[in-house]
Amino acid sequence: MDFGPYLLLASLEGAVGAAVLALTAVGLSLVFGVMRVVNVAHGEFYMIGAVVAWFVATTVGTHPALGFVAALIVAPLVAAIIAIAADRLVLKRVNYDPEATIVATIGILYIIQQAALMGYGPEARPVEPPFNHRIALPWYDFAAGEWFYPWGLGTTSYKLFVIAVAIVLLLGFWALMTRTKVGLVMRATQLDWDMAQAFGIPVDRVYALVFGFGAALAALAAVLIVPIQQAHYLMGGDPLLLSFIVVIIGGLGSVRGTVVAAILIGMSDGIISVFFTPTLAKIIATMVVALVLVFRPQGLFGTKAA
Amino acid sequence: MLKKITDRRTLLKGAAAGGLLAATPLASRFASAQSDAPIKIGFQQHSTGIGAAYGRWYGRTTEAAVKKINGEGGINGRPIEIVAEDDGTDPKRGAEVLEKFANQHSCDIAFGTLFSHVVYGSAPAAGELKLPYFVVSEGHHVASGALNRWTMQPGITDVKSQVAAMAPFVSKNLGKKVTMIFPDFAFGHDHRDFFTAAIEAQGGEVLEHIAIPPTETSFTKYFPKIPRQTEVIYHVMVGPGVLTFVKELGEFFGPSRPEIFGFIDSLEAVDMSSPGLEYLEGTYFWEGMPRYAQASQSAHEKAYRTAVGVDDNGASLSDSKDVSTYAHMFGCWETLHTIKAGMEYADYQGPQDRQKLIEAIESMSIMPESAAHPQGAKVFNGRTHQTFGHQYISKVENSKLVLAHATSIADTFYEDEVDYTKMSF
């Protein structure tokens, strides 16, 4: 394949990855920003989203679009309810102690993963996309001076839809955080826990809400990706690792930084994997994390720890 | 030895006639054994990890085979007891599981591994423990001589023999310029090395080798490496991402796909009528055993299919969405039957006879098609510890696999690379 169409294809693949990664990582970043909890179980909420999407899509088996829309609503809700329960039953009991919560969320990771294995099984199962057409993309041939359709250069309408929905959801999230009272309350809790409580903010409930909301974002990302990739009980591993990379590069707790880093990592992962090897893409991402930690520990957009 | 079996049958008949069977059915069924303690077979199962879908069906097949064998009097009159341990499809845990079988569970033998990297990780432990280790893996590792005298593969053919039999079909019917896509570990490398050599022997060539990590979840990014002049795509993929792989391959090509020849591994445990797979219509797959019941189905195959709980479409009788790993799992059934034959031939009494068991199986050769070998006749090579058998090529028609060609066993032969019988125990 020629270089130009090849690059376009790689960028499109990278953009789909980046869109889903941004949603997942924003959830992780939010939880850390507000609660100072490093949620190792974040990838499992992503997995729950995919698995619930499969259950919903197969139960509401009339038209794929109907099942998909139902999954978009139900999956984040289920993930949020499980996350809130985990917050009430576990994280609150260990007083959100940083080390204890890491160990606790590792435990939650295994509980959710094994529960999925027992209840859902070891197979990777597909969810039918609401619509899916192959779109052949044209390319301009400078030598001949005309547009043509290169072999293999194409994407699907569903992949473009994923990118669009992710952008809308991220804008919505930004508006929620900056333009609404809920967002204000969350930001207040993030800035100063004691002061927020002194002003009558029910910090306990904000924490539960934030943990649930973070999980719901991961689940939403998974519902979007599951018609492309299948739901599988081990699928939470990769998004967790990439989300951590993104959040560290972008700056823990910074939504803007998280989105920028997700695009950076997602796109470079797509492009480097295509032109070199997927292993090299992971090596480079990990090296960037190391460099950021050494030279700019607060991340690209993070503020110095208070 | 044969005489002894006849004697037991006669004895059982006599017992039945005497009404003993009716009084204590289980005790008398195993009555003639010198010890009626069960023979313990450690089953190294991929219950979790990337091999989990296979592990589940290997488990069901093993259960069905044991039920049949025990129902017919067990091994030497002793019942089989399966001790299943999850290896997480992980080589390191595989070795630990074998140790557990030998030292903790006091198993007589170990059996059942599929993924080749787990076989590689576990076989040295089997050698150290002097534990007969029967793999059901397809890898060329056994016959290559890389393992040891305690490791055998009597129930399933290996990749080298499979691809040797496929190459003539591919070059004659599909094309000579091939691009290969395979998983980047031992099993995929077997495909890469042996198919490349086999197609060159047919006057064809492999234009490009595309290796994909077995844990990959997104595949479109690999496909631009497929050269434009490719006539045939040869694909074999494993792991939870297989459906995405095949779907994205179709989306990449759109309406102008080359010929496609795949190993069914790429769609094992996946419904052929899944959305996105329509483009596979008219393409070909290698199958170890035809997933869909064919018109030419033998009575043995039919009985086997019912025993393992699979319908005519290759899915579970209780859930039509639960598609089996039909092209591979017969290996568990046939291996267990071969173990039974070997143990009876060696008059196996306990762990002290493990060496006799290996020698007994090494002395086997022709295994005719039967209830014990429903996939078809086999020729076992005792020197290389590897079995040889028929291979099947199916064409996708109306989202079903229809048998297009069955190779002879001779098509799959290659020269011995090792003689394990000359190695010490």
mmCIF file of all heavy atoms in Angstrom, chain B residues 290-314:
data_model
loop_
_atom_site.group_PDB
_atom_site.id
_atom_site.type_symbol
_atom_site.label_atom_id
_atom_site.label_comp_id
_atom_site.label_asym_id
_atom_site.label_seq_id
_atom_site.Cartn_x
_atom_site.Cartn_y
_atom_site.Cartn_z
ATOM 1 N N PRO B 290 -14.940 -32.078 10.463
ATOM 2 C CA PRO B 290 -15.973 -31.140 9.992
ATOM 3 C C PRO B 290 -16.977 -30.755 11.091
ATOM 4 O O PRO B 290 -17.582 -31.631 11.705
ATOM 5 C CB PRO B 290 -16.657 -31.899 8.867
ATOM 6 C CG PRO B 290 -15.630 -32.875 8.396
ATOM 7 C CD PRO B 290 -14.877 -33.282 9.626
ATOM 8 N N ARG B 291 -17.102 -29.452 11.325
ATOM 9 C CA ARG B 291 -17.982 -28.953 12.380
ATOM 10 C C ARG B 291 -19.448 -29.256 12.083
ATOM 11 O O ARG B 291 -20.200 -29.655 12.955
ATOM 12 C CB ARG B 291 -17.798 -27.435 12.516
ATOM 13 C CG ARG B 291 -18.719 -26.830 13.551
ATOM 14 C CD ARG B 291 -18.742 -25.304 13.493
ATOM 15 N NE ARG B 291 -17.442 -24.720 13.839
ATOM 16 C CZ ARG B 291 -17.228 -23.405 13.894
ATOM 17 N NH1 ARG B 291 -18.209 -22.551 13.637
ATOM 18 N NH2 ARG B 291 -16.034 -22.943 14.200
ATOM 19 N N TYR B 292 -19.840 -29.059 10.830
ATOM 20 C CA TYR B 292 -21.234 -29.320 10.462
ATOM 21 C C TYR B 292 -21.369 -30.787 10.056
ATOM 22 O O TYR B 292 -20.503 -31.311 9.355
ATOM 23 C CB TYR B 292 -21.667 -28.411 9.303
ATOM 24 C CG TYR B 292 -21.771 -26.964 9.714
ATOM 25 C CD1 TYR B 292 -20.654 -26.140 9.745
ATOM 26 C CD2 TYR B 292 -22.993 -26.432 10.113
ATOM 27 C CE1 TYR B 292 -20.749 -24.817 10.152
ATOM 28 C CE2 TYR B 292 -23.104 -25.108 10.518
ATOM 29 C CZ TYR B 292 -21.970 -24.307 10.534
ATOM 30 O OH TYR B 292 -22.068 -23.005 10.947
ATOM 31 N N ALA B 293 -22.439 -31.432 10.504
ATOM 32 C CA ALA B 293 -22.653 -32.832 10.139
ATOM 33 C C ALA B 293 -22.784 -32.911 8.618
ATOM 34 O O ALA B 293 -23.623 -32.226 8.028
ATOM 35 C CB ALA B 293 -23.906 -33.354 10.817
ATOM 36 N N GLN B 294 -21.933 -33.719 7.987
ATOM 37 C CA GLN B 294 -21.919 -33.819 6.528
ATOM 38 C C GLN B 294 -22.816 -34.967 6.073
ATOM 39 O O GLN B 294 -23.156 -35.854 6.860
ATOM 40 C CB GLN B 294 -20.490 -34.059 6.040
ATOM 41 C CG GLN B 294 -19.492 -33.012 6.492
ATOM 42 C CD GLN B 294 -19.735 -31.649 5.853
ATOM 43 O OE1 GLN B 294 -20.090 -31.545 4.686
ATOM 44 N NE2 GLN B 294 -19.564 -30.587 6.637
ATOM 45 N N ALA B 295 -23.142 -34.939 4.785
ATOM 46 C CA ALA B 295 -23.956 -36.021 4.233
ATOM 47 C C ALA B 295 -23.241 -37.360 4.379
ATOM 48 O O ALA B 295 -23.855 -38.406 4.578
ATOM 49 C CB ALA B 295 -24.252 -35.733 2.758
ATOM 50 N N SER B 296 -21.895 -37.292 4.297
ATOM 51 C CA SER B 296 -21.101 -38.519 4.344
ATOM 52 C C SER B 296 -20.756 -38.947 5.773
ATOM 53 O O SER B 296 -19.905 -39.809 5.966
ATOM 54 C CB SER B 296 -19.804 -38.291 3.569
ATOM 55 O OG SER B 296 -19.112 -37.194 4.154
ATOM 56 N N GLN B 297 -21.420 -38.343 6.751
ATOM 57 C CA GLN B 297 -21.112 -38.610 8.160
ATOM 58 C C GLN B 297 -21.128 -40.109 8.493
ATOM 59 O O GLN B 297 -22.059 -40.831 8.129
ATOM 60 C CB GLN B 297 -22.190 -37.896 8.995
ATOM 61 C CG GLN B 297 -21.978 -37.941 10.477
ATOM 62 C CD GLN B 297 -23.193 -37.373 11.210
ATOM 63 O OE1 GLN B 297 -24.326 -37.550 10.784
ATOM 64 N NE2 GLN B 297 -22.948 -36.696 12.309
ATOM 65 N N SER B 298 -20.091 -40.579 9.203
ATOM 66 C CA SER B 298 -20.051 -41.994 9.580
ATOM 67 C C SER B 298 -20.870 -42.220 10.847
ATOM 68 O O SER B 298 -21.172 -41.272 11.580
ATOM 69 C CB SER B 298 -18.605 -42.427 9.823
ATOM 70 O OG SER B 298 -18.156 -41.886 11.053
ATOM 71 N N ALA B 299 -21.208 -43.476 11.085
ATOM 72 C CA ALA B 299 -21.993 -43.802 12.280
ATOM 73 C C ALA B 299 -21.202 -43.470 13.545
ATOM 74 O O ALA B 299 -21.752 -43.019 14.547
ATOM 75 C CB ALA B 299 -22.363 -45.283 12.264
ATOM 76 N N HIS B 300 -19.872 -43.691 13.483
ATOM 77 C CA HIS B 300 -19.031 -43.396 14.638
ATOM 78 C C HIS B 300 -19.028 -41.906 14.951
ATOM 79 O O HIS B 300 -19.084 -41.480 16.095
ATOM 80 C CB HIS B 300 -17.586 -43.851 14.383
ATOM 81 C CG HIS B 300 -17.468 -45.321 14.150
ATOM 82 N ND1 HIS B 300 -17.993 -46.235 15.030
ATOM 83 C CD2 HIS B 300 -16.890 -46.026 13.151
ATOM 84 C CE1 HIS B 300 -17.747 -47.450 14.576
ATOM 85 N NE2 HIS B 300 -17.092 -47.357 13.436
ATOM 86 N N GLU B 301 -18.943 -41.101 13.870
ATOM 87 C CA GLU B 301 -18.928 -39.654 14.050
ATOM 88 C C GLU B 301 -20.253 -39.194 14.666
ATOM 89 O O GLU B 301 -20.290 -38.345 15.544
ATOM 90 C CB GLU B 301 -18.704 -38.983 12.689
ATOM 91 C CG GLU B 301 -18.096 -37.600 12.792
ATOM 92 C CD GLU B 301 -19.096 -36.487 12.625
ATOM 93 O OE1 GLU B 301 -19.826 -36.495 11.631
ATOM 94 O OE2 GLU B 301 -19.137 -35.605 13.496
ATOM 95 N N LYS B 302 -21.333 -39.793 14.200
ATOM 96 C CA LYS B 302 -22.660 -39.429 14.691
ATOM 97 C C LYS B 302 -22.775 -39.750 16.175
ATOM 98 O O LYS B 302 -23.261 -38.927 16.967
ATOM 99 C CB LYS B 302 -23.714 -40.205 13.890
ATOM 100 C CG LYS B 302 -25.084 -39.609 14.031
ATOM 101 C CD LYS B 302 -26.043 -40.190 13.007
ATOM 102 C CE LYS B 302 -27.380 -39.492 13.177
ATOM 103 N NZ LYS B 302 -28.345 -39.899 12.189
ATOM 104 N N ALA B 303 -22.296 -40.933 16.563
ATOM 105 C CA ALA B 303 -22.372 -41.339 17.971
ATOM 106 C C ALA B 303 -21.515 -40.420 18.837
ATOM 107 O O ALA B 303 -21.906 -40.012 19.931
ATOM 108 C CB ALA B 303 -21.910 -42.788 18.112
ATOM 109 N N TYR B 304 -20.336 -40.057 18.304
ATOM 110 C CA TYR B 304 -19.427 -39.166 19.025
ATOM 111 C C TYR B 304 -20.070 -37.796 19.224
ATOM 112 O O TYR B 304 -20.067 -37.227 20.314
ATOM 113 C CB TYR B 304 -18.117 -39.057 18.256
ATOM 114 C CG TYR B 304 -17.281 -37.849 18.589
ATOM 115 C CD1 TYR B 304 -16.505 -37.827 19.748
ATOM 116 C CD2 TYR B 304 -17.269 -36.718 17.768
ATOM 117 C CE1 TYR B 304 -15.737 -36.713 20.064
ATOM 118 C CE2 TYR B 304 -16.514 -35.611 18.073
ATOM 119 C CZ TYR B 304 -15.749 -35.608 19.217
ATOM 120 O OH TYR B 304 -14.999 -34.501 19.535
ATOM 121 N N ARG B 305 -20.665 -37.282 18.138
ATOM 122 C CA ARG B 305 -21.305 -35.966 18.177
ATOM 123 C C ARG B 305 -22.387 -35.939 19.264
ATOM 124 O O ARG B 305 -22.489 -34.981 20.037
ATOM 125 C CB ARG B 305 -21.922 -35.675 16.799
ATOM 126 C CG ARG B 305 -22.316 -34.246 16.559
ATOM 127 C CD ARG B 305 -22.852 -34.068 15.149
ATOM 128 N NE ARG B 305 -21.817 -33.903 14.139
ATOM 129 C CZ ARG B 305 -21.333 -32.718 13.747
ATOM 130 N NH1 ARG B 305 -21.801 -31.618 14.252
ATOM 131 N NH2 ARG B 305 -20.396 -32.649 12.835
ATOM 132 N N THR B 306 -23.182 -36.971 19.331
ATOM 133 C CA THR B 306 -24.241 -37.034 20.346
ATOM 134 C C THR B 306 -23.623 -37.129 21.744
ATOM 135 O O THR B 306 -24.076 -36.461 22.672
ATOM 136 C CB THR B 306 -25.130 -38.271 20.100
ATOM 137 O OG1 THR B 306 -25.493 -38.280 18.718
ATOM 138 C CG2 THR B 306 -26.379 -38.225 20.959
ATOM 139 N N ALA B 307 -22.561 -37.950 21.859
ATOM 140 C CA ALA B 307 -21.967 -38.167 23.183
ATOM 141 C C ALA B 307 -21.391 -36.873 23.754
ATOM 142 O O ALA B 307 -21.482 -36.619 24.964
ATOM 143 C CB ALA B 307 -20.883 -39.237 23.088
ATOM 144 N N VAL B 308 -20.787 -36.032 22.906
ATOM 145 C CA VAL B 308 -20.200 -34.795 23.428
ATOM 146 C C VAL B 308 -21.224 -33.650 23.490
ATOM 147 O O VAL B 308 -20.898 -32.546 23.916
ATOM 148 C CB VAL B 308 -18.959 -34.340 22.621
ATOM 149 C CG1 VAL B 308 -17.831 -35.348 22.765
ATOM 150 C CG2 VAL B 308 -19.290 -34.105 21.165
ATOM 151 N N GLY B 309 -22.448 -33.923 23.082
ATOM 152 C CA GLY B 309 -23.514 -32.926 23.234
ATOM 153 C C GLY B 309 -23.468 -31.811 22.213
ATOM 154 O O GLY B 309 -23.677 -30.648 22.535
ATOM 155 N N VAL B 310 -23.183 -32.186 20.950
ATOM 156 C CA VAL B 310 -23.083 -31.174 19.898
ATOM 157 C C VAL B 310 -24.122 -31.472 18.814
ATOM 158 O O VAL B 310 -24.321 -32.623 18.441
ATOM 159 C CB VAL B 310 -21.654 -31.164 19.310
ATOM 160 C CG1 VAL B 310 -21.585 -30.323 18.058
ATOM 161 C CG2 VAL B 310 -20.665 -30.651 20.337
ATOM 162 N N ASP B 311 -24.793 -30.409 18.326
ATOM 163 C CA ASP B 311 -25.823 -30.613 17.301
ATOM 164 C C ASP B 311 -25.203 -30.637 15.893
ATOM 165 O O ASP B 311 -23.988 -30.541 15.738
ATOM 166 C CB ASP B 311 -26.922 -29.551 17.427
ATOM 167 C CG ASP B 311 -26.418 -28.154 17.099
ATOM 168 O OD1 ASP B 311 -25.303 -28.027 16.546
ATOM 169 O OD2 ASP B 311 -27.134 -27.175 17.391
ATOM 170 N N ASP B 312 -26.064 -30.734 14.876
ATOM 171 C CA ASP B 312 -25.566 -30.866 13.502
ATOM 172 C C ASP B 312 -24.829 -29.630 13.005
ATOM 173 O O ASP B 312 -24.153 -29.662 11.983
ATOM 174 C CB ASP B 312 -26.733 -31.182 12.552
ATOM 175 C CG ASP B 312 -27.146 -32.648 12.658
ATOM 176 O OD1 ASP B 312 -26.423 -33.407 13.326
ATOM 177 O OD2 ASP B 312 -28.185 -33.018 12.074
ATOM 178 N N ASN B 313 -25.003 -28.492 13.720
ATOM 179 C CA ASN B 313 -24.302 -27.273 13.319
ATOM 180 C C ASN B 313 -23.028 -27.044 14.129
ATOM 181 O O ASN B 313 -22.414 -25.978 14.044
ATOM 182 C CB ASN B 313 -25.219 -26.058 13.475
ATOM 183 C CG ASN B 313 -26.387 -26.119 12.502
ATOM 184 O OD1 ASN B 313 -26.240 -26.599 11.377
ATOM 185 N ND2 ASN B 313 -27.539 -25.658 12.953
ATOM 186 N N GLY B 314 -22.687 -28.011 14.967
ATOM 187 C CA GLY B 314 -21.463 -27.867 15.749
ATOM 188 C C GLY B 314 -21.627 -27.078 17.028
ATOM 189 O O GLY B 314 -20.644 -26.748 17.680
#
